[in-house]
Amino acid sequence: MKELLKQIIFEQQDNCRHLMQDAIPRHIEEEWLTTSEILIITGVRRCGKSVLLQQLRDKLEEKDFFFNFDDERLVNFKLEDFATLQECFFELFGEQHTYYFDEIQNIAGWETFVRRLYNEGNKVVVTGSNARMLSKEMGTHLTGRYISVEVYPFSFAEYLQLEHIEPSQKDFYLMASRSKLLGHFRDFLERGGFPKYLQTGSVSYLSSLYESIIFRDVMARNGLTNDKEIKELAFYLASNATQRVTYNSLGKIVGIRHPETIKNYLEYIQQTYMIFQLLKYAPSVKTQMLSPKKVYFIDNAIISRMGFNVTDNNGVKLENAVFIELLRRGCDLFYHADKKKCDFVVREGVRITQAYQVTVKMDDEKTRKREIEGLQEAMEIYDLSEGYIITLNEKEELTVDGKTVHIIPAWEWMLK
């Protein structure tokens, strides 16, 4: 085992150098570098967690104790093998006190080893592709000992960086520049933000990523055997993203009798960060849980390539992109539904503080009336003085019953 681990360590050191050659840097908070707490970086597969981990390695003084557990040669790696891995590090590089572990959730019981490292005064940075890392898997082992960092596929600003475009302030006002930015945003809506997919354009790469999430992160991890049910459920969701669904309705469509099974499947998929279930806002938690959910995807590429779409589906992709951007900004999100509907409301503490509608365009009078009235109802109920309607490229400011409605293009809102 020891010789194999040493071989993998050196191979991975070389692979990391190649990984960073064409990488787009991700944002790093100073706290991540200076904290003594365990840093846990989570997110969907291939969204840039490893790049962020390598950036942190580059900025910290000690760099050598790095290991990636997403390797088929480690299929028999057990909790007790961590001690052997630690011995390999010391034998190869001498004494250091900073550890970097990529995709560590693949090893059962990893959190007990990481806790021991932490208790011994070491700095530990880990990544993982499963939200359970931040919940029951960590339980009492790491509670109060870690900082969580959630990484998403590229934002529109990072997408532009990949295209070597750096908008200046004047670009928001010049007609030609605005048109170019809109063109790039249309591409972003279609292609999404998975870094490698953007660099290669390979649909087979995207399909492979999707299959890995379904088979490795959903099925194998949770001991599931009926791939037909999971694949049909994921396909239906990708084909009907942003729509309100219930466990009963999904069960009838996919052919699963028990709503509890659907509930479990959705939770398993959500744990991979591929989907998110948005709850209706209500003062009662019970009402929230019993109301239909809206399902969003981590990236538009999955909707575009893995779902069934007979139209360009721009409305769905725009709403999905706005949802992910709000998550990226750390918003606690719900949807509003009373007499009217509002796509997103943001909760801070016990209050709703922001409201957003999303629509491709408002030139149709019926659409305009629906979007404004839905936002207006949310502003009235939650006592908000202003609200936002995010569009593809329309910009306007209205006063409705003494309240301000900002109509703003999504690309401009995301960049500002």
Side-chain angles (χ1 to χ4, degrees):
M1 171 64 83
K2 187 175 282 190
E3 288 304 306
L4 174 62
L5 292 178
K6 288 182 178 180
Q7 177 187 345
I8 294 173
I9 287 170
F10 281 121
E11 286 180 4
Q12 291 180 352
Q13 298 274 4
D14 286 339
N15 290 339
C16 288
R17 284 189 278 274
H18 295 306
L19 172 70
M20 296 306 292
Q21 286 177 353
D22 300 317
I24 297 296
R26 308 304 293 259
H27 172 71
I28 292 179
E29 296 281 353
E30 184 65 26
E31 179 191 21
W32 304 346
L33 298 170
T34 59
T35 183
S36 61
E37 303 302 306
I38 301 161
L39 192 66
I40 299 181
I41 302 170
T42 60
V44 72
R45 282 181 179 270
R46 304 295 179 258
C47 70
K49 301 185 301 299
S50 297
V51 168
L52 179 57
L53 181 69
Q54 298 308 319
Q55 284 181 248
L56 291 167
R57 280 182 72 201
D58 288 343
K59 289 182 177 294
L60 292 168
E61 186 175 344
E62 296 179 331
K63 311 177 189 301
D64 295 317
F65 289 8
F66 166 80
F67 202 76
N68 184 350
F69 291 94
D70 195 18
D71 190 308
E72 77 281 355
R73 291 170 293 182
L74 301 171
V75 65
N76 294 317
F77 192 99
K78 301 291 189 296
L79 181 60
E80 54 268 24
D81 294 321
F82 276 114
T84 306
L85 176 61
Q86 195 174 19
E87 289 176 15
C88 292
F89 283 147
F90 283 126
E91 290 175 10
L92 295 174
F93 307 111
E95 184 175 355
Q96 296 186 21
H97 298 280
T98 309
Y99 293 77
Y100 309 88
F101 296 129
D102 214 351
E103 298 294 348
I104 197 171
Q105 85 282 345
N106 290 338
I107 310 302
W110 64 269
E111 64 277 12
T112 59
F113 173 68
V114 167
R115 182 184 63 179
R116 178 169 68 79
L117 292 179
Y118 170 82
N119 290 339
E120 293 172 353
N122 297 290
K123 184 177 182 67
V124 185
V125 183
V126 304
T127 78
S129 303
N130 196 287
R132 218 184 286 174
M133 289 184 71
L134 299 178
S135 56
K136 80 176 186 183
E137 270 190 12
M138 307 221 308
T140 59
H141 293 295
L142 298 181
T143 301
R145 299 178 176 91
Y146 68 91
I147 293 176
S148 169
V149 176
E150 291 191 351
V151 179
Y152 297 87
F154 281 173
S155 65
F156 181 49
E158 291 170 317
Y159 174 89
L160 291 179
Q161 190 178 353
L162 183 66
E163 299 291 322
H164 307 292
I165 298 167
E166 297 182 15
S168 63
Q169 188 174 8
K170 69 178 183 179
D171 292 326
F172 291 93
Y173 300 96
L174 298 175
M175 182 71 71
S177 299
R178 289 177 64 88
S179 296
K180 288 181 180 178
L181 287 172
L182 174 60
H184 287 295
F185 184 69
R186 288 181 182 275
D187 289 339
F188 173 69
L189 278 188
E190 178 69 21
R191 298 170 66 198
F194 281 112
K196 190 74 171 180
Y197 177 59
L198 291 177
Q199 290 174 316
T200 65
S202 169
V203 177
S204 61
Y205 167 81
L206 193 64
S207 298
S208 175
L209 169 61
Y210 179 79
E211 295 287 323
S212 291
I213 293 172
I214 294 297
F215 286 105
R216 295 177 63 183
D217 299 336
V218 177
M219 297 195 60
R221 187 171 179 80
N222 295 288
L224 304 179
T225 57
N226 194 331
D227 63 308
K228 180 175 180 291
E229 290 181 348
I230 293 290
K231 291 176 74 173
E232 286 185 358
L233 177 61
F235 176 73
Y236 178 81
L237 294 173
S239 306
N240 294 273
T242 79
Q243 303 303 307
R244 291 197 289 177
V245 296
T246 65
Y247 301 142
N248 281 324
S249 66
L250 287 175
K252 290 177 181 177
I253 291 166
V254 180
I256 297 175
R257 181 178 300 178
H258 301 293
E260 191 68 21
T261 302
I262 290 289
K263 178 177 182 291
N264 291 336
Y265 284 176
L266 287 175
E267 288 178 356
Y268 297 153
I269 300 173
Q270 182 161 317
Q271 285 167 0
T272 70
Y273 292 98
M274 187 168 77
I275 68 167
F276 301 87
Q277 298 179 72
L278 185 67
L279 303 179
K280 172 186 173 181
Y281 181 76
S284 162
V285 173
K286 182 178 179 180
T287 302
Q288 291 179 10
M289 300 307 296
L290 292 177
S291 298
K293 281 77 174 169
K294 295 175 72 175
V295 175
Y296 294 86
F297 275 76
I298 186 65
D299 194 76
N300 275 355
I302 297 177
I303 296 173
S304 299
R305 300 299 181 187
M306 301 298 113
F308 177 75
N309 302 293
V310 294
T311 66
D312 58 22
N313 227 12
N314 280 337
V316 168
K317 293 170 191 171
L318 182 62
E319 185 177 333
N320 196 80
V322 169
F323 172 80
I324 294 299
E325 179 64 23
L326 287 168
L327 282 190
R328 190 181 283 112
R329 296 180 183 189
C331 294
D332 184 14
L333 292 174
F334 298 83
Y335 73 86
H336 165 81
D338 194 24
K339 295 183 179 66
K340 310 289 183 181
K341 298 180 180 65
C342 183
D343 291 321
F344 307 119
V345 293
V346 179
R347 182 177 65 179
E348 295 181 30
V350 297
R351 291 190 61 245
I352 296 296
T353 59
Q354 300 173 56
Y356 294 86
Q357 289 281 55
V358 183
T359 184
V360 172
K361 52 187 179 180
M362 295 182 63
D363 55 357
D364 175 73
E365 191 58 40
K366 184 178 178 181
T367 300
R368 184 180 180 87
K369 183 173 184 293
R370 182 187 68 236
E371 301 299 331
I372 291 175
E373 287 183 351
L375 182 64
Q376 184 182 7
E377 181 181 86
M379 289 191 293
E380 287 289 343
I381 288 177
Y382 306 118
D383 193 25
L384 305 178
S385 60
E386 61 180 356
Y388 293 84
I389 300 179
I390 309 297
T391 67
L392 188 60
N393 198 40
E394 294 177 42
K395 188 170 184 176
E396 189 180 352
E397 194 160 296
L398 308 173
T399 301
V400 180
D401 291 342
K403 298 178 183 293
T404 304
V405 175
H406 306 280
I407 302 172
I408 184 170
W411 60 264
E412 183 176 328
W413 171 73
M414 289 184 182
L415 293 177
K416 285 187 173 181

